[in-house]
Amino acid sequence: MHPPTPRRLLSGLVALCALTGAAHASSSDDSSSASPSPSSTTTTTSTVTPCVATSTSGAFFDLRPDIAVVPEKDVKLPRGTRTEDYIARGYDYGYNITLNICAPVVKGVEDVVGLTSEGWSTVGGYYEKGGKTYSLGQQSGALTPRGRKLVLQYTGGSPCEPPDDKDKDDKRKRSRGVHEGAAYNKYSDDEEDNDNRDDDQTDSNKQTSSSSKEKVRRKSATISFLCDRSPDTPTAVSFVGTDPDECSYFFEVRSQHACAGAEPHKPGSVGPGGVFAIIFFIALAVYVLGGIFYQRTVVKQRGWRQLPNYTLWAGIWSFLKDTFIILTSSCARFLPVRRGYRSLNSSSRGRYGNNDDENRLIDQLDEEWDD
Ligand SMILES: *[C@@H]1O[C@H](CO)[C@@H](O)[C@H](O)[C@H]1NC(C)=O
């Protein structure tokens, strides 16, 4: 055996191992960012799974635990699951707002102002005022990381201005000019616009655009999430305010789930433990095969001796063997075989006297081994 050469071989192996590791790491990086087949699944899961988002900086957010759900009879919900909607106090607005995160409100709503009955079941937030229910928008799971903020938006709620609003009607009439009759209502807009087009081209263009804009204008809710790490504060929604038209509503949600986390390991891909194991076995294989090659060709060893660092491993093996023998022989007193002797003895001299004898025996054994 030439001690320096195997050592050089070993250091070479370590370098090789590092290289394979780096190569593997870079390949796994590729798969998570750019390569087409596996990454398409990863990116789609992060954008399509509702209430889950990954920011460009790699922070991962999963707000699904904050969704309030309707409790079902047979299904056992995870602990801490919310079954009631979030209530945001409106303070000076005179009404409180009920909403859910990433899902329709648990407490279903009906007769929502300006929505057809198909839309009722997907209302993400609403408030009641004067006996009427106003929607703040249809629920959405499109969680959007925006810098350090995490934002969710509901759109398509009740029309921003109630149809029977006198002021707005007057304003519109004034802007439309005098050629229209007093009996104005929203549903005849299109007809009237057609009439306008016949009468006056430029004027009508202006009006179609303005009236269609007014038609589309619906209430929306923008919810901003803040990370709150204190574990015993429940997720809370606070109402921030609206724009002057009470068309856009702003909320702030404090939740521990809004804190940036690491993306959980996806099934099917190799986790950190797997990567380590792969590197370990590659290194081991290279060490054994390379070592055998070296010992056979350079040192011309045969038999067991052609294994790399044979004396070292043989030494370790004999050491382990010795340790095992020592341990088993000192544990042998706990084996049931000796119970008869022990119980017979303990009746007369007790446990502790017995131990002394055994310790002396073991010491004697150890001395024999040292020789
Ligand atoms: C809003 O909620 C608070 C308590 O959270 C309650 O005291 C208040 O009466 C509610 N206001 C309306 C208009 O329901």
Side-chain angles (χ1 to χ4, degrees):
M1 276 267 181
H2 308 269
T5 11
R7 204 167 295 150
R8 216 182 300 145
L9 188 81
L10 253 181
S11 63
L13 277 169
V14 168
L16 192 104
C17 174
L19 273 176
T20 18
H24 192 278
S26 73
S27 78
S28 70
D29 267 1
D30 285 350
S31 73
S32 67
S33 61
S35 90
S37 54
S39 82
S40 61
T41 52
T42 66
T43 44
T44 44
T45 44
S46 54
T47 51
V48 165
T49 312
C51 236
V52 170
T54 309
S55 74
T56 44
S57 59
F60 175 77
F61 303 96
D62 186 354
L63 289 177
R64 284 175 294 181
D66 283 335
I67 302 176
V69 294
V70 191
E72 281 174 55
K73 267 233 171 91
D74 312 325
V75 185
K76 198 166 178 292
L77 294 169
R79 252 191 57 190
T81 307
R82 222 187 141 96
T83 54
E84 276 173 25
D85 292 312
Y86 295 90
I87 312 271
R89 215 172 147 181
Y91 297 100
D92 49 320
Y93 280 82
Y95 47 83
N96 293 341
I97 294 155
T98 307
L99 75 165
N100 198 354
I101 294 169
C102 295
V105 284
V106 172
K107 190 181 162 208
V109 284
E110 284 180 355
D111 298 324
V112 184
V113 174
L115 284 189
T116 57
S117 54
E118 296 101 71
W120 295 349
S121 58
T122 49
V123 167
Y126 73 95
Y127 66 89
E128 278 164 354
K129 189 186 180 188
K132 286 186 180 138
T133 306
Y134 296 91
S135 164
L136 297 187
Q138 301 292 309
Q139 61 91 16
S140 158
L143 201 59
T144 313
R146 206 164 275 148
R148 294 176 62 85
K149 292 274 175 204
L150 193 60
V151 182
L152 181 68
Q153 190 162 61
Y154 297 161
T155 54
S158 297
C160 287
E161 32 171 18
D164 57 349
D165 195 328
K166 277 268 153 49
D167 291 353
K168 296 281 162 63
D169 268 4
D170 287 349
K171 225 192 287 176
R172 248 195 289 184
K173 254 183 260 168
R174 254 179 276 127
S175 74
R176 273 168 172 266
V178 285
H179 61 86
E180 278 172 31
Y184 167 77
N185 81 46
K186 225 172 151 60
Y187 306 102
S188 57
D189 267 0
D190 291 350
E191 257 176 56
E192 280 168 9
D193 285 344
N194 286 344
D195 293 344
N196 280 350
R197 217 165 278 136
D198 297 336
D199 294 342
D200 183 346
Q201 273 295 344
T202 52
D203 194 22
S204 83
N205 279 351
K206 217 189 288 168
Q207 264 133 42
T208 17
S209 67
S210 81
S211 76
S212 68
K213 204 190 274 167
E214 271 168 342
K215 249 200 267 174
V216 194
R217 215 158 168 240
R218 286 174 175 275
K219 286 183 194 286
S220 65
T222 305
I223 306 166
S224 162
F225 292 89
L226 294 175
C227 166
D228 186 344
R229 286 196 193 277
S230 47
D232 30 58
T233 356
T235 303
V237 177
S238 358
F239 173 55
V240 177
T242 74
D243 63 339
D245 302 341
E246 296 198 20
C247 200
S248 313
Y249 288 72
F250 298 97
F251 299 91
E252 216 166 68
V253 178
R254 287 183 178 273
S255 164
Q256 52 177 317
H257 303 112
C259 302
E263 193 156 2
H265 165 60
K266 281 185 247 32
S269 70
V270 184
V275 171
F276 184 81
I278 289 170
I279 291 172
F280 177 78
F281 283 111
I282 290 175
L284 193 72
V286 168
Y287 170 68
V288 171
L289 294 178
I292 288 173
F293 178 76
Y294 173 81
Q295 294 288 347
R296 277 183 82 91
T297 55
V298 182
V299 195
K300 309 266 188 235
Q301 297 278 16
R302 287 295 177 268
W304 280 109
R305 297 214 154 260
Q306 64 187 300
L307 286 178
N309 303 79
Y310 173 73
T311 42
L312 174 72
W313 294 118
I316 288 175
W317 171 243
S318 65
F319 171 76
L320 286 177
K321 222 162 45 179
D322 289 354
T323 318
F324 178 73
I325 290 169
I326 290 167
L327 284 177
T328 45
S329 62
S330 63
C331 285
R333 59 185 156 144
F334 298 118
L335 292 178
V337 189
R338 298 184 68 178
R339 204 188 282 142
Y341 164 73
R342 202 204 184 112
S343 58
L344 203 143
N345 214 3
S346 63
S347 61
S348 59
R349 289 175 58 198
R351 292 189 103 146
Y352 301 101
N354 199 8
N355 265 359
D356 278 351
D357 282 351
E358 283 179 12
N359 283 340
R360 219 176 304 132
L361 244 164
I362 291 163
D363 285 349
Q364 220 172 332
L365 266 172
D366 284 351
E367 277 161 27
E368 276 170 30
W369 246 298
D370 283 335
D371 295 340

